[in-house]
Amino acid sequence: MRPRAVLIGPPGSGKSTVGRLLADRLGAVFRDTDADVEAVAGKPVGDIFVEDGEERFRELETEAVRHALAEHEGVLSLGGGAVLSEITRELLVGHTVVYLEVGLSQAVQRVGLASARPLLVLNPRSQLKKLMDARRPVYEGLATVTVATDERKPDEVVDEIVKGLQP
């Protein structure tokens, strides 16, 4: 049992929006590991960061990814920072990993500067740029398919992913 596609990318890349559309297109189920973490913890991701710390969130996230990769056959979306875990990177080997690439200006527009995202609290634009710059090589290294999302409608992104999934 393997996901048809695992979506990775920074906040604002479209993992949730594109993931749902891709799942519909493939006749599959969509799953988001952030939602899995929230279900296990019984609280939103932001609250986990504040009350339990980032380290605890990352532990829960790694376990959520492990379970989802083993149990889910549809489209799986990982939280933007899930790839920071060496365990997660190892678990992704052999999977179809789709990196949704997004530029800073598009990510800022999509996420919004008044975001409740825990890692973007202080200077959101600056924090998002640092986060994207640091994670880009990891996303690129894991990707079996890379799709640029800037200035594109979600359906156009899904079209390109579907083409990339074909053998």
Side-chain angles (χ1 to χ4, degrees):
M1 187 179 308
R2 304 178 78 77
R4 299 273 305 269
V6 180
L7 304 183
I8 63 171
S13 62
K15 296 180 301 292
S16 297
T17 301
V18 169
R20 285 183 182 88
L21 290 171
L22 178 61
D24 286 346
R25 180 86 56 90
L26 297 174
V29 175
F30 175 74
R31 184 168 174 175
D32 183 330
T33 57
D34 278 349
D36 292 351
V37 168
E38 289 179 344
V40 167
K43 53 188 160 187
V45 167
D47 290 352
I48 299 168
F49 267 81
V50 170
E51 296 169 14
D52 307 320
E54 182 177 0
E55 183 177 336
R56 178 64 181 143
F57 170 76
R58 296 296 176 201
E59 290 169 3
L60 292 168
E61 182 177 55
T62 299
E63 282 308 301
V65 171
R66 180 189 313 277
H67 290 292
L69 289 173
E71 303 167 353
H72 187 66
E73 293 180 309
V75 174
L76 179 63
S77 172
L78 304 190
V83 298
L84 300 176
S85 162
E86 184 176 337
I87 295 167
T88 294
R89 292 191 302 271
E90 290 171 5
L91 291 169
L92 288 171
V93 171
H95 286 275
T96 301
V97 179
V98 179
Y99 166 35
L100 297 181
E101 188 177 47
V102 64
L104 179 62
S105 63
Q106 287 281 296
V108 166
Q109 287 177 6
R110 294 174 186 172
V111 171
L113 292 179
S115 173
R117 295 172 190 251
L119 293 180
L120 303 180
V121 173
L122 295 174
N123 181 339
R125 186 180 184 93
S126 173
Q127 290 298 104
L128 185 56
K129 180 177 182 346
K130 286 179 191 171
L131 178 149
M132 290 173 69
D133 289 347
R135 294 178 184 173
R136 183 175 295 110
V138 178
Y139 294 139
E140 290 171 345
L142 291 169
T144 55
V145 177
T146 299
V147 178
T149 65
D150 282 359
E151 306 297 334
R152 298 176 79 187
K153 294 181 179 163
D155 282 328
E156 295 171 334
V157 174
V158 170
D159 289 344
E160 189 170 336
I161 293 170
V162 169
K163 287 178 190 169
L165 295 179
Q166 296 172 354

